[in-house]
Amino acid sequence: MTPAALDPVLPRLSRSANHGTLWFATAAALAATRTPRARRAATRGLASLGLASLTVTALGKRTARHPRPAPAPIPLPLIRQPTRRSITSAFPSGHAASAAAFATGVALESPGWGTVVAPVAASVALSRVRSGAHFPSDVLTGVALGVGAAFAVRGLVPTRGQVAPPARPRAEVPALPDGEGLVLVANTAAGSAERARALRDALPRAEIVECEPSDVPAELEKAATRARVLGVCGGDGTVNAAAGVALRFRLPLAVLPGGTLNHFAYDLGIEDVRDLAGALRAGEAVRVDVGRYSCGGKHGVFLNTCSVGVYPELVRERERWSHRIGGWPAGVVAALRVLRADRHPLEAEFQGRTRPLWLLFAGNGTYHRMGLASGRRRDLADGQLDVRVVHGGRRPAVRLLAAALAGPLTRSPAHAAVQVGRLRLDHVAPGTLLAYDGEVIEVEGRVTLEKLPEALTVYRPIPPD
């Protein structure tokens, strides 16, 4: 299609991009797909657009005063005439910069969505020349600034592909071209049934078992007796249960994210059916570490985190409110109620000293983040427990905030951080709560946390060398 053939469309497209309206609407549409990759692409696109707009305004139009193109001596067709001529500098084109920044940001996070957005962005840039609002040099400079802004954002916040966990140590697993030998248990309460059925379409000979949360443990046990590969679709708690069964039966595990957070699957590099189906067809898998807790006769494993102190109390309080007001509001209410109590939820012997603790967090692998907020793990087989401690004291909310702002600093009156292979807590008071992968139990006495190095085999796509 020639540029002239687009003349009926380009002016409307250009106007829709005023003040970034077109790109905000596009970002909303991407987010509405409810896929993690699309949501990240939308966020990165908007962040790139914001930086490009700031750059154009602060460094471009304020320093270079270039006039707009003069009106053509022969009147343009009505549809190609701008309805209002801007009085700002023509150099560089803000519309072109915003379009290029958004499209590049989206493409860096999701090449697939980038190919959808790129033609629209190119049309907006072209419309600025066809309408007579800019010289070609204005548009080309704007495009260059927009692309540069997107790469600058990527330098500050790497894309998920840049920080993918290393594909090691590799494991020998069966390739399942059509899914035969895979038995996947899907927790229907996690909203995962649709994804499980999509996997069945991709791997038609896979067996899919859909069940309620209360039936998940029993169905996993039964599935393990007849499966070559044990599969699971659900949230982190469901995946935790499947990992325990896979360890006992010495089966490789296939994880399809189907919950709210899906930390383990995403850190593994599996976000959707396409990722998992590709790994199963090709027989691609790695071995990963597993964390284990034990206390008296209680023991279990964790794939993400294990914690005692204020966080388990917050989890229990959130569950109490979530059915009434929803997940996120319940989290806010729970945090306010737990922190307002102004008491030490835990007192235990840690590193040879008995002390009050607000929180002890142990991650299965090193989390790369600022403070105590969950971040990403770049290596799922590093042999380390990432231990973060917030010491007890007055003003719990202030101390927790200070610990979060302290980041990786290990010398802080409020916050300590160490990486160890094994950890022991003694003299834990009866009734103390321990949370692991979103589940909560009561512990007392001696609590031991340790690593099981490379204990679990899991399917994941392995990029070419």
Side-chain angles (χ1 to χ4, degrees):
M1 183 178 291
T2 63
L6 293 173
D7 282 345
V9 178
L10 292 179
R12 296 184 180 89
L13 192 63
S14 181
R15 288 191 294 271
S16 71
N18 290 346
H19 310 295
T21 302
L22 173 62
W23 310 121
F24 282 105
T26 303
L30 289 175
T33 64
R34 301 182 65 183
T35 62
R37 187 177 284 114
R39 289 198 296 265
R40 291 199 311 273
T43 302
R44 186 171 294 277
L46 292 179
S48 303
L49 183 152
L51 180 59
S53 299
L54 180 63
T55 303
V56 167
T57 301
L59 302 180
K61 295 183 180 294
R62 292 184 183 275
T63 58
R65 305 298 299 177
H66 284 209
R68 301 273 172 176
I74 300 175
L76 294 170
L78 181 62
I79 200 164
R80 290 177 57 195
Q81 295 180 12
T83 57
R84 179 171 59 87
R85 295 188 65 82
S86 176
I87 61 173
T88 61
S89 173
F91 182 88
S93 168
H95 281 69
S98 296
F102 184 83
T104 305
V106 168
L108 289 175
E109 191 68 61
S110 172
W113 282 113
T115 60
V116 175
V117 175
V120 181
S123 299
V124 169
L126 176 64
S127 74
R128 304 308 288 169
V129 177
R130 293 291 294 176
S131 67
H134 286 281
F135 292 107
S137 59
D138 303 333
V139 170
L140 291 176
T141 303
V143 168
L145 286 174
V147 172
F151 277 91
V153 169
R154 189 180 72 164
L156 295 172
V157 184
T159 62
R160 189 170 287 269
Q162 286 179 285
V163 293
R168 61 155 185 83
R170 298 194 182 190
E172 295 294 328
V173 292
L176 309 179
D178 55 6
E180 185 175 6
L182 170 68
V183 182
L184 183 137
V185 177
N187 182 352
T188 56
S192 58
E194 184 177 343
R195 289 192 176 190
R197 292 163 192 161
L199 182 66
R200 181 185 297 160
D201 293 337
L203 301 171
R205 302 196 69 174
E207 179 183 348
I208 308 297
V209 179
E210 299 180 24
C211 61
E212 295 296 321
S214 58
D215 298 326
V216 166
E219 293 297 338
L220 285 168
E221 294 282 346
K222 289 190 289 186
T225 62
R226 63 181 186 276
R228 294 179 67 198
V229 176
L230 180 63
V232 61
C233 183
D236 287 321
T238 304
V239 174
N240 177 285
V245 174
L247 285 170
R248 290 202 309 275
F249 283 82
R250 298 184 179 181
L251 290 173
L253 184 65
V255 178
L256 180 61
T260 303
L261 299 178
N262 305 301
H263 288 304
F264 180 70
Y266 293 164
D267 286 346
L268 194 62
I270 296 176
E271 298 191 357
D272 51 31
V273 168
R274 180 182 59 183
D275 294 332
L276 181 58
L280 286 164
R281 292 192 191 102
E284 296 175 337
V286 295
R287 295 191 300 275
V288 300
D289 293 347
V290 174
R292 180 168 64 185
Y293 71 85
S294 58
C295 178
K298 298 178 180 178
H299 56 86
V301 300
F302 58 96
L303 299 177
N304 299 308
T305 64
C306 184
S307 59
V308 290
V310 69
Y311 181 73
E313 290 199 356
L314 190 150
V315 171
R316 178 165 287 188
E317 193 71 24
R318 183 184 63 196
E319 291 176 349
R320 188 177 301 167
W321 287 88
S322 60
H323 298 297
R324 309 179 199 174
I325 60 177
W328 289 110
V332 175
V333 171
L336 292 175
R337 291 174 65 90
V338 169
L339 294 177
R340 191 175 59 183
D342 195 17
R343 59 185 177 82
H344 306 311
L346 172 67
E347 187 168 290
E349 183 178 316
F350 172 68
Q351 293 184 330
R353 290 180 55 191
T354 300
R355 64 183 79 189
L357 302 174
W358 270 103
L359 173 67
L360 187 146
F361 163 100
N364 176 33
T366 303
Y367 280 80
H368 296 268
R369 65 194 185 284
M370 292 297 292
L372 294 167
S374 294
R376 291 210 61 202
R377 289 168 289 182
R378 299 174 187 170
D379 190 348
L380 293 174
D382 64 1
Q384 298 294 312
L385 289 172
D386 183 8
V387 180
R388 306 287 170 123
V389 175
V390 179
H391 302 302
R394 300 187 61 188
R395 301 178 182 271
V398 175
R399 295 178 74 84
L400 287 169
L401 178 61
L405 295 177
L409 298 178
T410 58
R411 297 182 181 273
S412 166
H415 180 215
V418 294
Q419 281 76 46
V420 296
R422 192 171 188 270
L423 176 70
R424 192 181 76 192
L425 292 174
D426 288 315
H427 310 306
V428 176
T432 297
L433 300 181
L434 179 145
Y436 63 99
D437 291 350
E439 306 297 319
V440 179
I441 62 171
E442 291 187 358
V443 294
E444 63 177 286
R446 173 176 294 179
V447 177
T448 302
L449 308 179
E450 58 187 335
K451 291 281 281 195
L452 303 177
E454 301 178 17
L456 181 65
T457 298
V458 287
Y459 282 83
R460 62 149 292 186
I462 297 178
D465 295 332

